[in-house]
């Protein structure tokens, strides 16, 4: 069976709507009858990544591929890239600004959390060009 | 614990979801840092927070958190309440600070069964 494909744009300048696309994907998965735990894992991982895009990278786009046995979310931005992936994967390490922290984010849990909730996480990043995240959650 | 009991213990005002006060809650999380809510809340908990922006509602939605209680007497604006209504999330507010609100619920047995 061909996977169902969805494409989303993420605006980089509007924190108030950040996460709207994750909300849409969560709704789609619920309508398709996926089990609640799978839905929750996809929603949290995608939401963290979507917030990252808004906080760090001025937006980008997201492609979601939904198959009966797995959900794949690919997020591509044209942001600054991640200079030190190893550090970024450590819990508590963050480069977020104070204004982001005041909004309740930037605790350095984003990437570790995405890894925790997904079955596979591939990060390709080039400093000055952007970052591509491929998140897979097996059903 | 029923939400109606939570409301009474915290002397809270219901802002959305008045008809849902019969719902049961089994645990709670007191946190102003949504990053940590996303990382550490395991089961469907009630969220006590002093943070006031739409991402609180969005975070609750992602975590399957059905109830948010704003502490320290803060009053969410219409954009937050409208979003909560759309997503069937119950919102209350209490004058108590986070520490005391959490303590009161814990003392009455919410979420302290398996941690003693």
């Amino acid at each position: 069976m061909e996977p169902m494909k969805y494409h989303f744009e993420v605006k980089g300048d509007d924190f108030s709507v950040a996460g709207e696309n994750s909300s849409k994907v969560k709704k789609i998965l619920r309508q398709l009858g996926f089990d609640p735990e799978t839905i929750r894992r996809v929603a949290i991982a995608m939401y963290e990544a979507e917030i990252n895009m808004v906080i760090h990278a001025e937006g980008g786009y997201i492609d979601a591929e939904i198959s009966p046995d797995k959900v794949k979310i690919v997020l591509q931005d044209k942001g600054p890239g991640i200079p030190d992936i190893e550090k970024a994967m450590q819990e508590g390490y963050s480069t977020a600004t104070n204004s982001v922290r005041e909004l309740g984010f930037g605790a350095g849990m984003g990437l570790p959390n995405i890894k925790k909730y997904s079955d596979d996480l591939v990060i390709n990043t080039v400093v000055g060009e952007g970052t591509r995240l491929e998140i897979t959650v097996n059903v | 614990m029923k939400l109606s009991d939570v409301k009474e213990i915290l002397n809270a005002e219901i802002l959305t979801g008045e008809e849902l006060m019969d719902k049961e809650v089994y645990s709670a999380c007191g946190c102003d840092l949504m990053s940590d809510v996303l990382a550490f809340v395991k089961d469907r908990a009630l969220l006590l927070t002093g943070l006031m922006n739409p991402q609180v509602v969005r975070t609750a939605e992602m975590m399957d958190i059905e109830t948010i209680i704003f502490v320290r007497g803060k009053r969410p604006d219409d954009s937050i309440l409208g979003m909560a209504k759309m997503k069937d999330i119950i919102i209350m507010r209490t004058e108590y600070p986070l520490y005391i609100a959490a303590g009161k619920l814990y003392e009455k047995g919410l979420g302290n069964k398996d941690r003693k």
Side-chain angles (χ1 to χ4, degrees), chain A residues 26-103:
Chain A
K26 190 172 187 195
K27 244 175 242 153
I28 291 168
L29 293 175
R30 203 181 289 144
Q31 280 162 2
L32 289 170
F34 280 87
D35 69 284
E37 193 48 38
T38 302
I39 295 174
R40 187 172 135 106
R41 289 171 64 210
V42 172
I44 296 170
M46 180 173 167
Y47 179 56
E48 287 276 18
E50 193 178 349
I51 291 277
N52 271 351
M53 252 184 175
V54 176
I55 291 174
H56 296 291
E58 294 165 11
Y61 61 83
I62 303 176
D63 287 288
E65 266 187 39
I66 302 170
S67 316
D69 61 334
K70 68 178 176 195
V71 179
K72 194 165 104 180
I73 311 284
V74 177
L75 303 99
Q76 176 78 56
D77 68 52
K78 289 199 168 77
I82 306 168
D84 191 334
I85 284 275
E86 214 171 290
K87 267 192 181 168
M89 291 307 296
Q90 284 172 15
E91 292 188 0
Y93 177 80
S94 176
T95 59
T97 58
N98 277 338
S99 61
V100 168
R101 287 169 208 262
E102 278 163 20
L103 293 163

Side-chain angles (χ1 to χ4, degrees), chain A residues 15-20 22-23 26 36 40 43-44 47-48 51 102-107 109 113 116-117, chain B residues 32-36 38-44 51 53-56 58-64 83 87:
Chain A
F15 190 75
S16 68
V17 297
E20 196 57 59
S22 304
S23 175
K26 190 172 187 195
R40 187 172 135 106
I44 296 170
Y47 179 56
E48 287 276 18
I51 291 277
E102 278 163 20
L103 293 163
F105 293 88
M109 296 305 292
N113 217 16
K116 180 173 125 189
Y117 285 105
Chain B
D32 284 357
L33 202 50
M34 293 304 109
S35 291
D36 279 355
L38 288 163
F40 298 115
V41 176
K42 291 187 182 71
D43 39 14
R44 295 179 173 208
L51 187 73
N53 66 53
Q55 294 307 335
V56 175
R58 188 94 64 197
T59 300
E61 179 194 9
M62 295 305 153
M63 299 299 292
D64 297 324
M83 194 167 160
K87 298 178 189 304

